[in-house]
Structure formats: C-alpha cells, structure tokens
Amino acid sequence: MKCSGRKALQPRNIYLVPAAETLKKPKDELLFSKEKLPLPVPVPVVESMDASLAEELSAVKKKLERLREDGERTEKLLEEREGAMEVQMKHLLERGEIQKRLEIQVDRLFRLKELHAFSSKISPVRSLRAKEQEKRKRLSFEPEEDSSVEID
C-alpha cells in the first residue's frame, strides 16, 4: 500500500492550547530539537478560560437585564395604548348612539312631512259655500238637496 504522506484531519481542542502558543510551537520545536532538549508540555490555561467564561457570563447577564427592561417598557407602552384605545372605543360608542338618535329623529321628520302631504291631498280646502251648506244640513234636518245642481 502506498502512503501519500497525508494525515487525516484531527479535531483540535482550542480551549486546552492557547492560540498564541500554537503559532510559536514550530519555532520552539526547532530550537529544542537542535539542542536535543526535551520539549515542554503545553499546560492548559484554565485561568484564561475562566476569564472568558466570566466575561461571557457578565455579557449574558447584561443582555438579560436589557431584555427585562425592554419587556417592562413594552408592557408599560402596551398598557398605555390599551387605555387610549378604551377611551377611543367609548367615544366611538357615544358617537354611534348619538347618530342612531339623529337617524330616528330624521326618520320621524320625514314621516311627518309625508303625513302632512298625504293629509292635504285627502282634505282639500272647501269653499265657504260648501261649509255653509254643511252647517244648514246639521241644524235643519232637511232632506239633502242635490248639490250638483246649484242656482246662483
């Protein structure tokens, strides 16, 4: 079997070896290999991890505090808008009631006008002569004369 000289990619744990030391490692290996000294074993830097975790934790706490404050502001704003909408709703309901009453009054006036026009058609203005004849009929119980033949 031929070996192509390639190695499979291996996962790196970036939290155990700091990035700055990985860049310096080849130079240090050359230096120690020339002098035949043992290579120093990289010590994981726990302090830097703790510091970065503390920074992340403080950032998350700040973000949560901002989110809580934003939520409170949003709730307050929604309550104010709800109050304003309730006032507007009451105003609209009052306007609706007023409009209904006005429509009823307009309808009554229209009917009254129609009734007046209708009643004037039924009872036309009678002449004075017709009124006097009607009086005489009521006062004297005379038989009715033919009103179609009148002599002046």
Side-chain angles (χ1 to χ4, degrees):
M1 222 169 132
K2 275 188 167 181
C3 184
S4 65
R6 295 184 184 176
K7 286 200 240 175
L9 291 177
Q10 305 209 354
R12 290 179 44 187
N13 193 346
I14 60 171
Y15 294 109
L16 294 178
V17 180
E21 289 183 15
T22 57
L23 294 176
K24 295 180 184 177
K25 191 173 182 180
K27 293 178 187 176
D28 291 342
E29 284 179 1
L30 290 175
L31 179 67
F32 285 113
S33 65
K34 289 180 185 175
E35 297 176 5
K36 304 287 184 189
L37 297 174
L39 287 173
V41 178
V43 178
V45 182
V46 177
E47 294 172 1
S48 67
M49 275 190 357
D50 289 341
S52 66
L53 286 175
E55 288 174 4
E56 287 182 32
L57 183 62
S58 65
V60 168
K61 285 182 180 178
K62 287 179 184 178
K63 186 175 181 178
L64 286 175
E65 182 66 24
R66 280 196 311 268
L67 288 173
R68 185 185 60 78
E69 290 173 355
D70 287 345
E72 290 174 358
R73 278 195 301 259
T74 303
E75 286 295 322
K76 187 177 178 181
L77 182 64
L78 287 174
E79 288 173 2
E80 289 174 359
R81 286 185 181 177
E82 184 180 2
M85 289 181 74
E86 285 177 4
V87 169
Q88 287 180 349
M89 188 62 130
K90 288 179 184 177
H91 180 68
L92 286 175
L93 290 174
E94 289 175 7
R95 284 182 56 192
E97 290 297 322
I98 291 171
Q99 185 173 355
K100 282 181 185 178
R101 283 185 267 157
L102 289 174
E103 286 176 359
I104 290 170
Q105 287 179 355
V106 167
D107 190 42
R108 286 179 183 165
L109 290 173
F110 183 72
R111 288 183 190 170
L112 183 64
K113 186 176 179 182
E114 284 182 348
L115 183 63
H116 180 68
F118 184 70
S119 65
S120 67
K121 289 179 184 176
I122 291 177
S123 60
V125 178
R126 297 181 301 180
S127 65
L128 185 58
R129 182 180 291 167
K131 288 180 185 177
E132 287 178 6
Q133 285 178 357
E134 192 175 319
K135 267 187 192 178
R136 283 188 220 150
K137 286 179 187 176
R138 276 189 266 144
L139 293 176
S140 66
F141 296 101
E142 297 177 6
E144 293 182 20
E145 297 176 11
D146 190 11
S147 62
S148 60
V149 180
E150 291 183 10
I151 301 175
D152 284 292

